[in-house]
Amino acid sequence: MKRFIIILTAVIATLSVSTQEIKAQSQDLNARVDSLSAKLEKLQHDFDFLQCKYDLQDINNKLSSLGDNASIYSNSTLINTYHGGFYSQLYDAYRANYDSVVGAFESFKESAKVIKSSVRLKMLFSSFTEQEKALLEQMMNTTNSAINKAEHSLKSFKITIDMYKSLE
């Protein structure tokens, strides 16, 4: 009987120690979960900001490249207008090129609209700093400028194609 009481006491003591260890481990685990949650929130914030920044830079680069290409095509057409006669196949090529560039521009313009809307929503619902918001606003203004530059380049390209056509 004494043996039974000693064993029972040992088991109860072991369970008591185990319970205390489990509580300590649980508290440590909760602290780790809180720490990891904070790190995850920081990573999500950084990802959202970098994604917005990348999307705006990407569409700005595409629009700038398109505007530059339209200017190059316009200059090429203008040179041929001043230094050569009218060739219908060349005109058809210029016209097809213009139509292609206009199609790409419309696509990029729509993409820019969607990207700017997405960025504005993230600015509302994410915890961006004022500096981050200001940078994103500045980049959206740059997008608007790139759209205007590309439109201007396309108008010039259209004018030079019409000038070339008038040689006919």
Side-chain angles (χ1 to χ4, degrees):
M1 182 71 153
K2 272 186 172 183
R3 209 175 194 184
F4 178 71
I5 292 176
I6 293 172
I7 292 173
L8 184 61
T9 305
V11 169
I12 290 174
T14 304
L15 288 176
S16 174
V17 170
S18 296
T19 303
Q20 291 173 355
E21 287 177 9
I22 290 173
K23 286 181 183 178
Q25 287 176 352
S26 175
Q27 290 174 348
D28 185 44
L29 184 61
N30 286 340
R32 280 183 106 185
V33 167
D34 290 343
S35 172
L36 290 174
S37 293
K39 288 179 181 178
L40 181 62
E41 286 178 26
K42 172 79 171 113
L43 286 173
Q44 184 64 47
H45 168 269
D46 291 348
F47 175 78
D48 286 344
F49 176 71
L50 290 174
Q51 183 68 46
C52 290
K53 188 176 169 186
Y54 170 79
D55 289 343
L56 288 168
Q57 285 175 334
D58 185 50
I59 197 66
N60 288 345
N61 290 339
K62 288 177 180 177
L63 285 164
S64 290
S65 178
L66 183 129
D68 292 343
N69 287 338
S71 291
I72 290 168
Y73 299 145
S74 178
N75 290 339
S76 173
T77 307
L78 194 58
I79 289 169
N80 283 330
T81 300
Y82 289 132
H83 294 291
F86 178 80
Y87 301 99
S88 63
Q89 291 175 337
L90 187 57
Y91 171 78
D92 292 342
Y94 286 149
R95 189 65 202 186
N97 195 2
Y98 173 78
D99 292 340
S100 174
V101 173
V102 167
F105 172 72
E106 292 301 324
S107 175
F108 291 158
K109 189 175 175 182
E110 186 62 30
S111 293
K113 182 179 175 184
V114 170
I115 288 168
K116 289 191 302 184
S117 296
S118 172
V119 168
R120 288 196 193 286
L121 284 173
K122 284 185 181 178
M123 287 172 64
L124 287 174
F125 295 110
S126 292
S127 57
F128 292 149
T129 65
E130 291 303 316
Q131 284 180 317
E132 290 169 334
K133 288 180 181 178
L135 178 65
L136 294 174
E137 283 290 341
Q138 183 181 16
M139 291 179 78
M140 286 189 280
N141 290 338
T142 302
T143 302
N144 292 337
S145 295
I147 289 171
N148 291 337
K149 178 188 173 226
E151 283 177 335
H152 178 74
S153 296
L154 286 171
K155 286 177 186 175
S156 295
F157 190 19
K158 174 73 169 118
I159 289 169
T160 57
I161 289 174
D162 291 342
M163 286 174 55
Y164 186 76
K165 174 85 170 148
S166 69
L167 295 176
E168 186 175 34

